[in-house]
Amino acid sequence: MRFSHTISLSIFCLLVTISTVRSVPPQPPVRCDQTGCTVSSAYGTWPDRKTCKAANITYPTTEEELRKAVAYASERNLKVKTVTKFSHTIPKLACPSGSDAMLISTSKYNSVIEIEPDRLTVTADSGVSLRELIDKVEAAGFSIGTSPYWEGVSIGGLISTGSHGSSWSGRGGSVHDHVVGISLVVPANSSERYAKVIRLEEGRDDKLLNAVKVSLGVLGVISKVKLSIEKAFKRSITYNFTSDVALEEIFMEHGKRFEFGDITWYPSRKTAVYRYDVRSPVNVSGNGVNDFIGFQSNPILISKGVRALEKSLEASKSESGKCTTADTTLAYKKLTGNGLKNNGLLFTGYPVIGNQGKIQTSGSCLYSSSFRIDVSCSWDPRYNGLFFYETTAIFPLPRFRDFILDVKKLRDMKPERLCGIDIYNGILIRFIKGSKAYLGQGEDSVVIDFNYYRADDALTPRLNQDVMEEMEQMTFLKYGAKPHWGKNRKVGFFGVKQKYGPNFDKFLEVKNKLDPKMMFSSEWSDEILFGREGLKYDGCALEGNCVCSEDRHCSPSKGYFCRQGLVYTQARVCRFSSAKVSMA
Ligand SMILES: Cc1cc2nc3c(=O)[nH]c(=O)nc-3n(C[C@H](O)[C@H](O)[C@H](O)COP(=O)(O)OP(=O)(O)OC[C@H]3O[C@@H](n4cnc5c(N)ncnc54)[C@H](O)[C@@H]3O)c2cc1C
């Protein structure tokens, strides 16, 4: 209880001050000097905490320059990696192989967006940002059916990892299922000037298109993406903050009934937030905006303060402190409609109705203002703000109910242990439709995301980390969920190849055909794509680089030992034991 006032005050200050300010933009992900280039993720730290080097970088602005860049590398047998303006992938997918590799950035390849009203398509250069694309399409009287909830991504980067929103309707919630054409630059032989552009169309080149749609950057450089669009529409959203009783019975009906519905589950708070989100005609009044709280600008001092507070709660193993934080955050989300703004400025009540383009995605912390240099995205690595892991798992629909029941069992043993998840965004539950993409989901699925504290150094264990590890292993091992390619810790990818069955081999067949010299592959993309486990080392389970099988994979000196899961007993997790510490 000692912490509760301080926490409430700090969190309240954070939440109140984030209002409508714009902020310091994120730093560019690639920095070069005389010794070469360093590629960072937007979070500043890759999963293995090691830097990622390349020899040099090129910034094509046209498709021909892009082709020449690939030709240059192909002729010289260089390894290549495509990087974007954003680098919002969490695993090391954007990291090239070896420090003599070449980077091709799409950050300046973003000038062309062509709408074909009669065909209901838009074609964009792959470096175009999601926000630019949406705004252009909406200005022409159309809408893009789905998108990830975060707009700090490029169109080439977001489809490459299978990014999605939430929908079981129409073409579904995954952006790659709205793709009807792709131009891809691939290596070629000398008679073809070492690189060529291949143009793929839905219905004509499905075998290749199904591979390229979600291809983790390992098939070549996507030059252009053609998406299916629709006549402009609006959306109407209401959040219902309520009990999580019968969540396991309700979720399916919810996904079917609300075209863009989702559910945010705060298990420790026994609360589910049902998002009733449906399409409205464009002539219904409403200029609402979705400015999701988690993606708004935060005063840098407050982000630092919240991180410092979280660290102190970790150090003192204060479950009650974390639960107070979770309560305050949840109450604030309820008060502010989670960042929905009826008139673009304030939340005044439900439903919030707005254009699809203003509702489908958000990220106001991305944008700069010349007069506010004291605010940024809360995780901006320059300011020691929030630092966390993200687990994102995609469940075959029939298995999701039992997962909810398992988490409830785990929660009911001691709800406080899940507060560490609920101070972030609980468990976000979204719906995506079956896809033909080889590395997409073959069947209608349910996606969950949850975030949790990451320590400043790799060998510091975390409060209740066993519970989060058990949930992680339940998802990927017990229920066979697939990892989101652009998120997750290394353990999420173990055995991923088998989960895709014959489609994985179809993908590899195309990979061998388009990039036989594996120019676009690296040890990092192999680690993710093939889900290899690698050698275990002392402390490897702490950062999700292994599943522990011996105590030394946890942190015996700090009282964390390898133990079986509480509900999923096959799980092997690092659990704290005070008795053992005092005996040591
Ligand atoms: C705060 C936050 C919120 C997020 N929310 C969501 C969400 O709601 N839903 C969701 O599904 N995901 C979400 N993500 C994940 C994000 O959508 C993906 O990581 C996405 O791939 C990032 O796109 P990017 O443009 O930053 O690409 P990068 O991270 O730069 O690149 C990703 C991969 O794509 C490759 N690549 C990029 N461009 C090309 C190209 N032109 N040709 C070939 N390969 C290319 C890169 O080599 C790399 O392998 C979120 C991430 C963050 C940080």
Side-chain angles (χ1 to χ4, degrees):
M1 285 307 288
R2 195 160 57 88
F3 284 108
S4 63
H5 274 94
T6 333
I7 294 163
S8 301
L9 196 64
S10 312
I11 299 294
F12 190 71
C13 288
L14 164 70
L15 297 170
V16 168
T17 9
I18 52 186
S19 61
T20 58
V21 288
R22 299 287 168 110
S23 60
V24 184
Q27 62 190 354
V30 183
R31 269 153 294 149
C32 300
D33 59 24
Q34 300 88 326
T35 62
C37 299
T38 305
V39 189
S40 315
S41 83
Y43 294 124
T45 309
W46 294 108
D48 62 3
R49 297 184 188 250
K50 293 188 183 135
T51 52
C52 172
K53 294 278 186 192
N56 48 41
I57 185 164
T58 179
Y59 293 92
T61 58
T62 63
E63 189 169 78
E64 179 53 14
E65 285 177 14
L66 186 58
R67 195 201 63 76
K68 281 184 178 156
V70 175
Y72 177 91
S74 166
E75 187 177 359
R76 290 162 184 78
N77 287 318
L78 297 175
K79 286 280 189 180
V80 182
K81 195 47 72 181
T82 310
V83 290
T84 68
K85 176 181 170 189
F86 297 104
S87 203
H88 274 117
T89 177
I90 295 167
K92 248 180 156 172
L93 278 176
C95 190
S97 185
S99 52
D100 53 351
M102 175 177 147
L103 301 172
I104 298 179
S105 172
T106 61
S107 64
K108 294 183 182 158
Y109 182 48
N110 56 3
S111 59
V112 178
I113 301 176
E114 278 169 1
I115 296 167
E116 289 183 285
D118 301 339
R119 299 194 164 166
L120 288 177
T121 61
V122 60
T123 305
D125 289 348
S126 64
V128 167
S129 75
L130 177 59
R131 175 45 60 199
E132 286 167 322
L133 182 61
I134 287 173
D135 285 351
K136 189 86 185 263
V137 167
E138 295 260 328
F142 298 95
S143 293
I144 296 175
T146 191
S147 62
Y149 285 8
W150 164 245
E151 65 186 56
V153 287
S154 64
I155 184 64
L158 81 89
I159 62 162
S160 294
T161 61
S163 300
H164 59 87
S166 185
S167 185
W168 275 339
S169 304
R171 281 182 175 256
S174 300
V175 183
H176 51 264
D177 292 325
H178 295 242
V179 168
V180 293
I182 288 183
S183 301
L184 181 75
V185 184
V186 292
N189 54 35
S190 56
S191 65
E192 292 173 303
R193 297 186 299 150
Y194 294 103
K196 63 184 176 190
V197 182
I198 55 173
R199 301 204 191 277
L200 308 172
E201 289 284 336
E202 188 178 61
R204 189 189 68 194
D205 311 296
D206 285 349
K207 199 172 162 206
L208 288 179
L209 193 60
N210 289 338
V212 178
K213 275 176 178 176
V214 181
S215 49
L216 319 185
V218 299
L219 300 185
V221 188
I222 294 169
S223 164
K224 290 179 186 290
V225 179
K226 189 194 270 192
L227 291 173
S228 141
I229 54 176
E230 321 175 30
K231 286 275 180 211
F233 63 91
K234 285 188 170 176
R235 272 161 71 171
S236 167
I237 304 188
T238 298
Y239 285 116
N240 179 13
F241 288 68
T242 185
S243 146
D244 69 1
V245 168
L247 173 63
E248 64 280 7
E249 308 302 338
I250 297 171
F251 80 89
M252 177 114 68
E253 185 53 30
H254 183 79
K256 286 184 183 159
R257 190 162 154 218
F258 299 98
E259 183 175 356
F260 305 103
D262 68 26
I263 305 165
T264 310
W265 181 25
Y266 298 90
S268 77
R269 307 297 85 200
K270 301 190 177 175
T271 297
V273 182
Y274 293 92
R275 174 168 166 160
Y276 305 143
D277 187 343
V278 291
R279 155 187 314 249
S280 296
V282 78
N283 57 2
V284 168
S285 75
N287 282 316
V289 170
N290 173 13
D291 186 12
F292 172 59
I293 278 186
F295 301 159
Q296 291 179 9
S297 301
N298 285 338
I300 289 163
L301 283 176
I302 300 285
S303 302
K304 279 175 187 261
V306 171
R307 173 70 181 172
L309 182 68
E310 204 181 359
K311 276 163 76 171
S312 78
L313 296 176
E314 283 281 327
S316 59
K317 296 199 167 46
S318 172
E319 285 173 345
S320 64
K322 290 218 174 191
C323 293
T324 306
T325 310
D327 275 337
T328 314
T329 310
L330 186 54
Y332 188 77
K333 286 178 178 168
K334 190 171 179 182
L335 189 71
T336 58
N338 219 4
L340 291 175
K341 295 172 178 174
N342 299 67
N343 52 7
L345 286 175
L346 282 175
F347 172 64
T348 53
Y350 296 118
V352 175
I353 299 174
N355 292 316
Q356 159 75 341
K358 297 286 184 200
I359 297 285
Q360 66 190 133
T361 190
S362 71
S364 56
C365 70
L366 285 162
Y367 307 107
S368 61
S369 151
S370 51
F371 56 91
R372 288 305 300 266
I373 52 162
D374 56 330
V375 289
S376 72
C377 295
S378 58
W379 57 83
D380 191 313
R382 288 168 293 186
Y383 309 119
N384 303 323
L386 301 189
F387 189 44
F388 47 83
Y389 297 111
E390 177 146 8
T391 293
T392 303
I394 309 167
F395 286 74
L397 179 54
R399 308 212 65 190
F400 191 61
R401 179 178 181 275
D402 287 344
F403 170 76
I404 297 180
L405 291 172
D406 271 358
V407 175
K408 282 191 168 177
K409 262 189 225 156
L410 194 58
R411 181 271 310 276
D412 290 343
M413 289 174 171
K414 196 176 179 210
E416 297 85 335
R417 286 197 299 222
L418 278 93
C419 288
I421 290 174
D422 290 349
I423 62 176
Y424 285 89
N425 201 38
I427 302 175
L428 175 61
I429 300 170
R430 290 185 275 184
F431 308 100
I432 56 175
K433 207 169 172 175
S435 170
K436 291 196 176 125
Y438 297 148
L439 297 186
Q441 310 311 313
E443 57 193 319
D444 289 356
S445 304
V446 181
V447 188
I448 61 158
D449 283 89
F450 55 96
N451 297 98
Y452 39 107
Y453 177 84
R454 186 176 186 189
D456 286 351
D457 76 274
L459 294 177
T460 301
R462 302 173 312 281
L463 178 60
N464 293 320
Q465 78 165 61
D466 59 315
V467 176
M468 287 146 221
E469 283 180 87
E470 184 166 345
M471 281 172 56
E472 191 180 35
Q473 290 175 40
M474 255 181 208
T475 61
F476 294 120
L477 303 180
K478 180 170 180 186
Y479 291 106
K482 299 190 189 103
H484 186 306
W485 296 109
K487 300 186 184 176
N488 289 302
R489 313 189 312 161
K490 193 173 160 185
V491 287
F493 296 100
F494 294 167
V496 67
K497 188 172 169 229
Q498 289 73 20
K499 294 180 184 173
Y500 279 91
N503 274 351
F504 193 88
D505 295 327
K506 289 184 193 163
F507 180 79
L508 287 190
E509 207 179 294
V510 174
K511 182 174 180 296
N512 293 336
K513 182 174 167 193
L514 297 183
D515 182 22
K517 290 191 286 181
M518 296 196 285
M519 268 174 60
F520 288 91
S521 294
S522 68
E523 56 272 42
W524 317 114
S525 61
D526 282 357
E527 189 176 278
I528 292 159
L529 187 58
F530 297 100
R532 293 195 190 110
E533 204 166 333
L535 288 177
K536 293 188 183 182
Y537 55 89
D538 291 0
C540 60
L542 297 177
E543 290 246 281
N545 289 323
C546 70
V547 171
C548 69
S549 47
E550 297 172 44
D551 289 340
R552 69 183 183 89
H553 302 143
C554 299
S555 180
S557 64
K558 291 181 177 141
Y560 284 75
F561 302 90
C562 187
R563 295 287 177 265
Q564 68 177 40
L566 299 171
V567 172
Y568 174 41
T569 50
Q570 279 109 308
R572 291 293 174 269
V573 299
C574 296
R575 182 169 304 125
F576 179 69
S577 163
S578 53
K580 287 248 186 176
V581 168
S582 50
M583 280 163 57

